[in-house]
Amino acid sequence: AVVLDADWLVSGASYEFSLLAENYLGIRSVAAHVMAKSSLPAPGVAIQGAELRSVYASDALTLSVDVALPNLACDTGCNLTLSSLAYEWSVQLRDDATGRFASAGFPPSKYYSPNPTLAKVAGGTLTAGLTYRFTVGVSVGDADDDDDDDGAVDPCTKLNNSDSALVFVAYDELVPIISGGASRVAGYGCDVVIDASSSYDPDALSGKIRYEWTCSSDLGVDDDGALLGGCPALNASVFEIGRAHV
């Protein structure tokens, strides 16, 4: 971690910090962080975890924010406590064509948590292949009163800060299911039906699932390399093996 003295940063200016990380194989990766220096004390706000993270569409998502009260080096007339903090979460969706973010159209109920420091999204809410930006704004109010006795605006209302996290929603892996479990015994003289029609796509994408079977046998192969025991390979969700082949 790098600690910057408060006097080094100019109030009202914006700074961009870049990080280059390299491992012993010479593989490099770069990250950037933009920070604006406020002219007022501000609460510390940081969403836990990486700025960009990835989840599967079927996964539940929980974002947690760490907050610290501002360091008031002078008397601002504020009586600050953690209970005087107010939180507001919002969600935006990135347009891949322009790179710009716009409202995702999510009602607050889709990411509501009784604990205001958390945003919780149920699995299946986010759309695979898209990038969302979750932002939390934290504002400070006077714990005793919103206005001074003379009607002046409470100076604490200007003490606010925010942080954002990007969430890319990855496509879930297909779930192949063969009825009957991992192994079974077929009776002599009986046809065998192998059924994979219960396989599914967790993302519920349109289009059919393509099936490709392979088969091996402990009987080995003949001189021509063909499987002994007549093990077929069919590209379908269900196929039947005649009794003469097993």
Side-chain angles (χ1 to χ4, degrees), residues 28-100:
R28 297 183 172 188
S29 186
V30 177
H33 181 77
V34 176
M35 182 186 67
K37 175 66 174 179
S38 174
S39 58
L40 292 172
V45 179
I47 296 177
Q48 295 178 5
E51 183 179 3
L52 175 61
R53 64 204 72 195
S54 179
V55 299
Y56 288 113
S58 60
D59 290 342
L61 171 67
T62 298
L63 297 175
S64 177
V65 60
D66 291 328
V67 177
L69 290 175
N71 180 19
L72 301 179
C74 58
D75 184 10
T76 62
C78 295
N79 181 16
L80 302 182
T81 65
L82 289 175
S83 62
S84 64
L85 302 178
Y87 300 80
E88 183 177 357
W89 290 86
S90 61
V91 185
Q92 293 179 307
L93 181 63
R94 186 173 70 183
D95 184 338
D96 290 335
T98 64
R100 297 179 179 178

Side-chain angles (χ1 to χ4, degrees), residues 33-232:
H33 181 77
V34 176
M35 182 186 67
K37 175 66 174 179
S38 174
S39 58
L40 292 172
V45 179
I47 296 177
Q48 295 178 5
E51 183 179 3
L52 175 61
R53 64 204 72 195
S54 179
V55 299
Y56 288 113
S58 60
D59 290 342
L61 171 67
T62 298
L63 297 175
S64 177
V65 60
D66 291 328
V67 177
L69 290 175
N71 180 19
L72 301 179
C74 58
D75 184 10
T76 62
C78 295
N79 181 16
L80 302 182
T81 65
L82 289 175
S83 62
S84 64
L85 302 178
Y87 300 80
E88 183 177 357
W89 290 86
S90 61
V91 185
Q92 293 179 307
L93 181 63
R94 186 173 70 183
D95 184 338
D96 290 335
T98 64
R100 297 179 179 178
F101 286 86
S103 173
F106 275 12
S109 59
K110 286 198 172 184
Y111 48 88
Y112 170 78
S113 169
N115 183 346
T117 65
L118 302 176
K120 292 187 175 183
V121 182
T125 303
L126 304 179
T127 302
L130 301 181
T131 300
Y132 295 81
R133 181 167 66 188
F134 287 79
T135 301
V136 57
V138 179
S139 57
V140 180
D142 193 296
D144 294 331
D145 197 352
D146 291 337
D147 295 321
D148 293 336
D149 294 338
D150 60 2
V153 176
D154 181 359
C156 297
T157 59
K158 294 185 178 181
L159 307 183
N160 56 74
N161 204 352
S162 64
D163 192 25
S164 298
L166 299 179
V167 177
F168 173 72
V169 186
Y171 290 98
D172 285 281
E173 295 184 0
L174 297 178
V175 181
I177 298 175
I178 301 177
S179 298
S183 64
R184 58 174 162 163
V185 176
Y188 177 78
C190 297
D191 294 342
V192 177
V193 175
I194 301 180
D195 184 356
S197 60
S198 296
S199 303
Y200 66 94
D201 181 356
D203 298 322
L205 298 178
S206 59
K208 295 182 179 180
I209 297 177
R210 183 177 66 87
Y211 299 87
E212 182 176 338
W213 296 84
T214 58
C215 182
S216 61
S217 170
D218 59 4
L219 296 177
V221 297
D222 58 22
D223 294 337
D224 296 325
L227 286 172
L228 295 173
C231 193

